[in-house]
Amino acid sequence: MAHGLHIHVQCPHCGKSLMIPEPKIDQLDSIHFLVKIGNRIGHLYLSQVYGSYEKIFENVEDLPDAVVECSCPLCYRPFPVHHACGSCSAAVIALDLKVGGIIKVCTRNGCAHHSLEFEDSQDALNLFRSQDPSGLL
Ligand SMILES: [Zn+2]
Ligand SMILES: [Zn+2]
């Protein structure tokens, strides 16, 4: 079920939205990444619900614990790496939130480490204000 915050992200390089209407995950538009695992290139679709780990891999195998190289499907540039994950030491990438602030996501498949960060508390407020109340039911 679709509980929690809905996260709409955009590419930190080209500023374009990464939200895509298909496939639906948790009954909502998903977040689209271009991914590389080993030598294979494919697509990864993530739930926009913060705290949901629903995802769909396309053309690449959903290998547990594999490190996934993630890039923008629109400008093809890799998402910026911020630091190593505190729990698994894989790269942690950051994406821009449409309302301001960033979301950090660990690139190891299955690692649950992710976080929201706001430099400006107004951005956090905007995120809460942007939530469609009907989507929270
Ligand atoms: Zn881009
Ligand atoms: Zn991790």
Side-chain angles (χ1 to χ4, degrees), residues 50-72:
Y50 189 70
S52 166
Y53 297 102
E54 291 298 320
K55 57 181 179 301
I56 297 170
F57 282 98
E58 202 178 274
N59 292 331
V60 283
E61 259 189 281
D62 186 354
L63 292 173
D65 298 329
V67 173
V68 183
E69 288 176 49
C70 304
S71 325
C72 172

PDB file of all heavy atoms in Angstrom, residues 50-72:
ATOM      1  N   TYR A  50       8.359   7.107  -0.251  1.00  0.00           N
ATOM      2  CA  TYR A  50       9.526   7.046   0.623  1.00  0.00           C
ATOM      3  C   TYR A  50       9.310   5.952   1.659  1.00  0.00           C
ATOM      4  O   TYR A  50       8.292   5.938   2.355  1.00  0.00           O
ATOM      5  CB  TYR A  50       9.729   8.395   1.314  1.00  0.00           C
ATOM      6  CG  TYR A  50      11.032   8.471   2.070  1.00  0.00           C
ATOM      7  CD1 TYR A  50      12.234   8.522   1.387  1.00  0.00           C
ATOM      8  CD2 TYR A  50      11.054   8.488   3.454  1.00  0.00           C
ATOM      9  CE1 TYR A  50      13.433   8.586   2.065  1.00  0.00           C
ATOM     10  CE2 TYR A  50      12.250   8.555   4.143  1.00  0.00           C
ATOM     11  CZ  TYR A  50      13.438   8.606   3.434  1.00  0.00           C
ATOM     12  OH  TYR A  50      14.630   8.671   4.108  1.00  0.00           O
ATOM     13  N   GLY A  51      10.263   5.013   1.721  1.00  0.00           N
ATOM     14  CA  GLY A  51      10.112   3.891   2.645  1.00  0.00           C
ATOM     15  C   GLY A  51       9.634   2.624   1.957  1.00  0.00           C
ATOM     16  O   GLY A  51       9.679   1.554   2.530  1.00  0.00           O
ATOM     17  N   SER A  52       9.198   2.741   0.695  1.00  0.00           N
ATOM     18  CA  SER A  52       8.820   1.545  -0.059  1.00  0.00           C
ATOM     19  C   SER A  52      10.049   1.069  -0.824  1.00  0.00           C
ATOM     20  O   SER A  52      10.788   1.873  -1.385  1.00  0.00           O
ATOM     21  CB  SER A  52       7.708   1.860  -1.058  1.00  0.00           C
ATOM     22  OG  SER A  52       7.572   0.798  -1.992  1.00  0.00           O
ATOM     23  N   TYR A  53      10.291  -0.225  -0.869  1.00  0.00           N
ATOM     24  CA  TYR A  53      11.426  -0.767  -1.614  1.00  0.00           C
ATOM     25  C   TYR A  53      10.967  -1.518  -2.851  1.00  0.00           C
ATOM     26  O   TYR A  53      11.711  -2.316  -3.412  1.00  0.00           O
ATOM     27  CB  TYR A  53      12.289  -1.647  -0.697  1.00  0.00           C
ATOM     28  CG  TYR A  53      12.874  -0.821   0.413  1.00  0.00           C
ATOM     29  CD1 TYR A  53      12.334  -0.851   1.689  1.00  0.00           C
ATOM     30  CD2 TYR A  53      13.939   0.037   0.151  1.00  0.00           C
ATOM     31  CE1 TYR A  53      12.834  -0.049   2.691  1.00  0.00           C
ATOM     32  CE2 TYR A  53      14.440   0.835   1.152  1.00  0.00           C
ATOM     33  CZ  TYR A  53      13.891   0.789   2.414  1.00  0.00           C
ATOM     34  OH  TYR A  53      14.394   1.588   3.400  1.00  0.00           O
ATOM     35  N   GLU A  54       9.736  -1.239  -3.282  1.00  0.00           N
ATOM     36  CA  GLU A  54       9.246  -1.860  -4.511  1.00  0.00           C
ATOM     37  C   GLU A  54      10.052  -1.328  -5.690  1.00  0.00           C
ATOM     38  O   GLU A  54      10.281  -0.122  -5.801  1.00  0.00           O
ATOM     39  CB  GLU A  54       7.768  -1.511  -4.725  1.00  0.00           C
ATOM     40  CG  GLU A  54       6.832  -2.145  -3.720  1.00  0.00           C
ATOM     41  CD  GLU A  54       6.870  -3.664  -3.774  1.00  0.00           C
ATOM     42  OE1 GLU A  54       6.935  -4.214  -4.889  1.00  0.00           O
ATOM     43  OE2 GLU A  54       6.862  -4.280  -2.693  1.00  0.00           O
ATOM     44  N   LYS A  55      10.507  -2.241  -6.565  1.00  0.00           N
ATOM     45  CA  LYS A  55      11.227  -1.793  -7.750  1.00  0.00           C
ATOM     46  C   LYS A  55      11.121  -2.833  -8.840  1.00  0.00           C
ATOM     47  O   LYS A  55      10.800  -3.992  -8.582  1.00  0.00           O
ATOM     48  CB  LYS A  55      12.689  -1.505  -7.417  1.00  0.00           C
ATOM     49  CG  LYS A  55      13.450  -2.663  -6.814  1.00  0.00           C
ATOM     50  CD  LYS A  55      14.870  -2.226  -6.505  1.00  0.00           C
ATOM     51  CE  LYS A  55      15.717  -3.305  -5.868  1.00  0.00           C
ATOM     52  NZ  LYS A  55      15.233  -3.843  -4.604  1.00  0.00           N
ATOM     53  N   ILE A  56      11.381  -2.390 -10.083  1.00  0.00           N
ATOM     54  CA  ILE A  56      11.328  -3.286 -11.236  1.00  0.00           C
ATOM     55  C   ILE A  56      12.621  -3.096 -12.031  1.00  0.00           C
ATOM     56  O   ILE A  56      12.978  -1.971 -12.382  1.00  0.00           O
ATOM     57  CB  ILE A  56      10.121  -2.952 -12.147  1.00  0.00           C
ATOM     58  CG1 ILE A  56       8.798  -3.163 -11.395  1.00  0.00           C
ATOM     59  CG2 ILE A  56      10.166  -3.792 -13.424  1.00  0.00           C
ATOM     60  CD1 ILE A  56       7.578  -2.629 -12.133  1.00  0.00           C
ATOM     61  N   PHE A  57      13.327  -4.204 -12.296  1.00  0.00           N
ATOM     62  CA  PHE A  57      14.493  -4.161 -13.179  1.00  0.00           C
ATOM     63  C   PHE A  57      14.055  -4.613 -14.564  1.00  0.00           C
ATOM     64  O   PHE A  57      13.249  -5.524 -14.694  1.00  0.00           O
ATOM     65  CB  PHE A  57      15.585  -5.111 -12.675  1.00  0.00           C
ATOM     66  CG  PHE A  57      16.376  -4.568 -11.524  1.00  0.00           C
ATOM     67  CD1 PHE A  57      16.064  -4.938 -10.224  1.00  0.00           C
ATOM     68  CD2 PHE A  57      17.440  -3.714 -11.738  1.00  0.00           C
ATOM     69  CE1 PHE A  57      16.799  -4.451  -9.149  1.00  0.00           C
ATOM     70  CE2 PHE A  57      18.186  -3.221 -10.676  1.00  0.00           C
ATOM     71  CZ  PHE A  57      17.871  -3.591  -9.376  1.00  0.00           C
ATOM     72  N   GLU A  58      14.608  -3.966 -15.604  1.00  0.00           N
ATOM     73  CA  GLU A  58      14.308  -4.336 -16.973  1.00  0.00           C
ATOM     74  C   GLU A  58      15.629  -4.515 -17.711  1.00  0.00           C
ATOM     75  O   GLU A  58      16.504  -3.636 -17.628  1.00  0.00           O
ATOM     76  CB  GLU A  58      13.513  -3.195 -17.610  1.00  0.00           C
ATOM     77  CG  GLU A  58      12.686  -3.576 -18.812  1.00  0.00           C
ATOM     78  CD  GLU A  58      11.923  -2.355 -19.315  1.00  0.00           C
ATOM     79  OE1 GLU A  58      10.825  -2.111 -18.793  1.00  0.00           O
ATOM     80  OE2 GLU A  58      12.461  -1.647 -20.176  1.00  0.00           O
ATOM     81  N   ASN A  59      15.802  -5.631 -18.397  1.00  0.00           N
ATOM     82  CA  ASN A  59      17.020  -5.962 -19.158  1.00  0.00           C
ATOM     83  C   ASN A  59      18.239  -6.275 -18.306  1.00  0.00           C
ATOM     84  O   ASN A  59      19.287  -6.631 -18.842  1.00  0.00           O
ATOM     85  CB  ASN A  59      17.423  -4.845 -20.140  1.00  0.00           C
ATOM     86  CG  ASN A  59      16.426  -4.721 -21.270  1.00  0.00           C
ATOM     87  OD1 ASN A  59      15.798  -5.696 -21.645  1.00  0.00           O
ATOM     88  ND2 ASN A  59      16.274  -3.526 -21.783  1.00  0.00           N
ATOM     89  N   VAL A  60      18.156  -6.091 -17.003  1.00  0.00           N
ATOM     90  CA  VAL A  60      19.268  -6.486 -16.138  1.00  0.00           C
ATOM     91  C   VAL A  60      18.713  -7.426 -15.077  1.00  0.00           C
ATOM     92  O   VAL A  60      17.549  -7.334 -14.708  1.00  0.00           O
ATOM     93  CB  VAL A  60      19.966  -5.284 -15.449  1.00  0.00           C
ATOM     94  CG1 VAL A  60      20.887  -4.551 -16.414  1.00  0.00           C
ATOM     95  CG2 VAL A  60      18.984  -4.339 -14.822  1.00  0.00           C
ATOM     96  N   GLU A  61      19.553  -8.308 -14.597  1.00  0.00           N
ATOM     97  CA  GLU A  61      19.115  -9.234 -13.575  1.00  0.00           C
ATOM     98  C   GLU A  61      19.036  -8.544 -12.218  1.00  0.00           C
ATOM     99  O   GLU A  61      19.882  -7.709 -11.893  1.00  0.00           O
ATOM    100  CB  GLU A  61      20.123 -10.384 -13.480  1.00  0.00           C
ATOM    101  CG  GLU A  61      19.678 -11.639 -14.177  1.00  0.00           C
ATOM    102  CD  GLU A  61      20.625 -12.777 -13.856  1.00  0.00           C
ATOM    103  OE1 GLU A  61      21.713 -12.824 -14.468  1.00  0.00           O
ATOM    104  OE2 GLU A  61      20.295 -13.583 -12.982  1.00  0.00           O
ATOM    105  N   ASP A  62      18.046  -8.904 -11.453  1.00  0.00           N
ATOM    106  CA  ASP A  62      17.879  -8.374 -10.102  1.00  0.00           C
ATOM    107  C   ASP A  62      18.764  -9.188  -9.152  1.00  0.00           C
ATOM    108  O   ASP A  62      18.316 -10.080  -8.459  1.00  0.00           O
ATOM    109  CB  ASP A  62      16.399  -8.492  -9.713  1.00  0.00           C
ATOM    110  CG  ASP A  62      16.098  -7.842  -8.375  1.00  0.00           C
ATOM    111  OD1 ASP A  62      17.046  -7.397  -7.689  1.00  0.00           O
ATOM    112  OD2 ASP A  62      14.923  -7.802  -8.006  1.00  0.00           O
ATOM    113  N   LEU A  63      20.069  -8.910  -9.210  1.00  0.00           N
ATOM    114  CA  LEU A  63      21.027  -9.694  -8.432  1.00  0.00           C
ATOM    115  C   LEU A  63      21.133  -9.137  -7.018  1.00  0.00           C
ATOM    116  O   LEU A  63      21.471  -7.965  -6.843  1.00  0.00           O
ATOM    117  CB  LEU A  63      22.416  -9.626  -9.072  1.00  0.00           C
ATOM    118  CG  LEU A  63      22.610 -10.297 -10.424  1.00  0.00           C
ATOM    119  CD1 LEU A  63      23.993  -9.963 -10.968  1.00  0.00           C
ATOM    120  CD2 LEU A  63      22.424 -11.794 -10.305  1.00  0.00           C
ATOM    121  N   PRO A  64      20.886  -9.970  -6.010  1.00  0.00           N
ATOM    122  CA  PRO A  64      20.994  -9.474  -4.637  1.00  0.00           C
ATOM    123  C   PRO A  64      22.414  -8.988  -4.356  1.00  0.00           C
ATOM    124  O   PRO A  64      23.380  -9.625  -4.782  1.00  0.00           O
ATOM    125  CB  PRO A  64      20.654 -10.692  -3.775  1.00  0.00           C
ATOM    126  CG  PRO A  64      20.054 -11.691  -4.687  1.00  0.00           C
ATOM    127  CD  PRO A  64      20.515 -11.374  -6.069  1.00  0.00           C
ATOM    128  N   ASP A  65      22.527  -7.866  -3.705  1.00  0.00           N
ATOM    129  CA  ASP A  65      23.805  -7.290  -3.276  1.00  0.00           C
ATOM    130  C   ASP A  65      24.672  -6.742  -4.407  1.00  0.00           C
ATOM    131  O   ASP A  65      25.785  -6.281  -4.164  1.00  0.00           O
ATOM    132  CB  ASP A  65      24.638  -8.277  -2.451  1.00  0.00           C
ATOM    133  CG  ASP A  65      23.914  -8.678  -1.178  1.00  0.00           C
ATOM    134  OD1 ASP A  65      23.150  -7.844  -0.651  1.00  0.00           O
ATOM    135  OD2 ASP A  65      24.087  -9.817  -0.736  1.00  0.00           O
ATOM    136  N   ALA A  66      24.201  -6.778  -5.673  1.00  0.00           N
ATOM    137  CA  ALA A  66      24.984  -6.197  -6.771  1.00  0.00           C
ATOM    138  C   ALA A  66      24.991  -4.681  -6.624  1.00  0.00           C
ATOM    139  O   ALA A  66      24.005  -4.086  -6.204  1.00  0.00           O
ATOM    140  CB  ALA A  66      24.369  -6.576  -8.112  1.00  0.00           C
ATOM    141  N   VAL A  67      26.122  -4.055  -6.968  1.00  0.00           N
ATOM    142  CA  VAL A  67      26.169  -2.594  -6.986  1.00  0.00           C
ATOM    143  C   VAL A  67      25.684  -2.124  -8.352  1.00  0.00           C
ATOM    144  O   VAL A  67      26.136  -2.604  -9.389  1.00  0.00           O
ATOM    145  CB  VAL A  67      27.591  -2.073  -6.686  1.00  0.00           C
ATOM    146  CG1 VAL A  67      27.657  -0.565  -6.869  1.00  0.00           C
ATOM    147  CG2 VAL A  67      27.977  -2.446  -5.262  1.00  0.00           C
ATOM    148  N   VAL A  68      24.716  -1.221  -8.321  1.00  0.00           N
ATOM    149  CA  VAL A  68      24.044  -0.765  -9.530  1.00  0.00           C
ATOM    150  C   VAL A  68      24.589   0.617  -9.895  1.00  0.00           C
ATOM    151  O   VAL A  68      24.525   1.540  -9.096  1.00  0.00           O
ATOM    152  CB  VAL A  68      22.520  -0.682  -9.277  1.00  0.00           C
ATOM    153  CG1 VAL A  68      21.785  -0.271 -10.544  1.00  0.00           C
ATOM    154  CG2 VAL A  68      21.987  -2.011  -8.749  1.00  0.00           C
ATOM    155  N   GLU A  69      25.151   0.756 -11.101  1.00  0.00           N
ATOM    156  CA  GLU A  69      25.579   2.088 -11.566  1.00  0.00           C
ATOM    157  C   GLU A  69      24.363   2.777 -12.155  1.00  0.00           C
ATOM    158  O   GLU A  69      23.732   2.245 -13.061  1.00  0.00           O
ATOM    159  CB  GLU A  69      26.660   1.953 -12.641  1.00  0.00           C
ATOM    160  CG  GLU A  69      27.992   1.491 -12.102  1.00  0.00           C
ATOM    161  CD  GLU A  69      28.989   1.284 -13.240  1.00  0.00           C
ATOM    162  OE1 GLU A  69      29.124   2.172 -14.093  1.00  0.00           O
ATOM    163  OE2 GLU A  69      29.598   0.201 -13.265  1.00  0.00           O
ATOM    164  N   CYS A  70      24.047   3.958 -11.638  1.00  0.00           N
ATOM    165  CA  CYS A  70      22.808   4.629 -12.021  1.00  0.00           C
ATOM    166  C   CYS A  70      23.089   5.930 -12.754  1.00  0.00           C
ATOM    167  O   CYS A  70      23.900   6.737 -12.305  1.00  0.00           O
ATOM    168  CB  CYS A  70      21.971   4.960 -10.783  1.00  0.00           C
ATOM    169  SG  CYS A  70      21.592   3.527  -9.777  1.00  0.00           S
ATOM    170  N   SER A  71      22.400   6.144 -13.884  1.00  0.00           N
ATOM    171  CA  SER A  71      22.536   7.381 -14.646  1.00  0.00           C
ATOM    172  C   SER A  71      21.167   7.908 -15.020  1.00  0.00           C
ATOM    173  O   SER A  71      20.163   7.186 -14.958  1.00  0.00           O
ATOM    174  CB  SER A  71      23.307   7.169 -15.946  1.00  0.00           C
ATOM    175  OG  SER A  71      24.304   6.228 -15.800  1.00  0.00           O
ATOM    176  N   CYS A  72      21.185   9.159 -15.473  1.00  0.00           N
ATOM    177  CA  CYS A  72      19.961   9.805 -15.919  1.00  0.00           C
ATOM    178  C   CYS A  72      19.547   9.225 -17.271  1.00  0.00           C
ATOM    179  O   CYS A  72      20.369   9.156 -18.177  1.00  0.00           O
ATOM    180  CB  CYS A  72      20.206  11.297 -16.038  1.00  0.00           C
ATOM    181  SG  CYS A  72      18.839  12.194 -16.786  1.00  0.00           S
TER     182      CYS A  72
END
